[in-house]
Amino acid sequence: EPAYLETLTQKTLGVVSANQTGNLNLQHNFQNGGGQLTADFDLAHFSRDFDNNLVTETLVSPDQIPPPAGLFTQMPTNIDIRTFKTDYNRSLGNTWKLEVGLKSSSVRSDNNVVFYRGEAGKLEFDADLSNHFRYTERVNAAYASFSGKLPAKTDLMVGLRTEQTHSEGNSLTLNQVVKRNYLNFF
């Protein structure tokens, strides 16, 4: 078995990414202690193009010089996030408070990992390492809480939150879809 004398790797990396976010916030105070209503709408987009090119030369002995090995990776990614939430709170007398709210969020991502490998200059697509994967998730939530003071310096807080989640992971490469749909109470 030949012993390695030297391994040289040349790496070229390229990354281009962009992030955009936006928020709209509304707030209304009701008259005569009627409470406060707030609403938020958020949008975010993230994208990245990533390339990684490796060329490796391995010297094993003066009479054995294998051709340079190459590995090229591309990983474009796009992620979109949208959320909406609204909250209402109101004081009830001097010591009690009511809070209720709704929130909905959506996440979508698209990731396409592509590998090419082989002899440098003659790279071939590697289906075993590559995977185009899409993921979506929607979460809808609602909550209510009631808090205040009881006699004898006791604070009380009672609340309930529920979340309904639907997610789907889809490997387009493997033709496999994983779906989840569940409801949680907190």
Side-chain angles (χ1 to χ4, degrees):
E1 229 176 273
Y4 291 111
L5 298 175
E6 187 176 324
T7 300
L8 304 170
T9 300
Q10 178 184 6
K11 178 176 182 170
T12 306
L13 186 67
V15 179
V16 176
S17 63
N19 298 317
Q20 297 90 29
T21 60
N23 170 270
L24 176 64
N25 176 271
L26 304 171
Q27 178 179 322
H28 179 73
N29 293 313
F30 295 96
Q31 295 179 359
N32 302 325
Q36 181 182 67
L37 179 68
T38 60
D40 281 283
F41 183 65
D42 298 294
L43 291 172
H45 176 75
F46 169 79
S47 65
R48 181 184 74 177
D49 287 325
F50 175 85
D51 296 331
N52 186 16
N53 190 17
L54 300 173
V55 176
T56 303
E57 292 185 64
T58 304
L59 305 177
V60 288
S61 70
D63 58 334
Q64 290 183 316
I65 301 176
L71 177 64
F72 180 70
T73 310
Q74 290 180 309
M75 291 186 271
T77 299
N78 288 292
I79 300 171
D80 291 300
I81 302 170
R82 294 181 178 97
T83 62
F84 172 77
K85 70 176 184 170
T86 184
D87 297 291
Y88 174 76
N89 64 65
R90 179 181 179 155
S91 295
L92 304 171
N94 292 332
T95 59
W96 294 94
K97 185 175 184 180
L98 171 68
E99 297 178 78
V100 295
L102 300 170
K103 182 176 181 180
S104 182
S105 67
S106 170
V107 177
R108 293 178 184 260
S109 71
D110 188 349
N111 304 279
N112 190 9
V113 180
V114 180
F115 283 90
Y116 295 89
R117 62 186 322 161
E119 186 179 323
K122 298 178 184 176
L123 300 180
E124 294 182 12
F125 176 72
D126 189 329
D128 292 333
L129 295 177
S130 300
N131 189 15
H132 189 177
F133 185 79
R134 291 185 180 150
Y135 178 77
T136 59
E137 178 183 81
R138 288 185 309 279
V139 178
N140 297 306
Y143 79 94
S145 69
F146 186 68
S147 61
K149 295 189 179 296
L150 295 174
K153 298 181 182 180
T154 302
D155 291 338
L156 174 71
M157 181 179 220
V158 177
L160 178 64
R161 178 179 176 89
T162 183
E163 288 184 359
Q164 186 274 329
T165 302
H166 175 78
S167 65
E168 181 176 306
N170 182 358
S171 171
L172 296 154
T173 304
L174 301 175
N175 198 25
Q176 293 178 343
V177 176
V178 175
K179 293 182 181 184
R180 296 190 68 204
N181 195 10
Y182 54 92
L183 181 67
N184 284 328
F185 291 92
F186 305 95

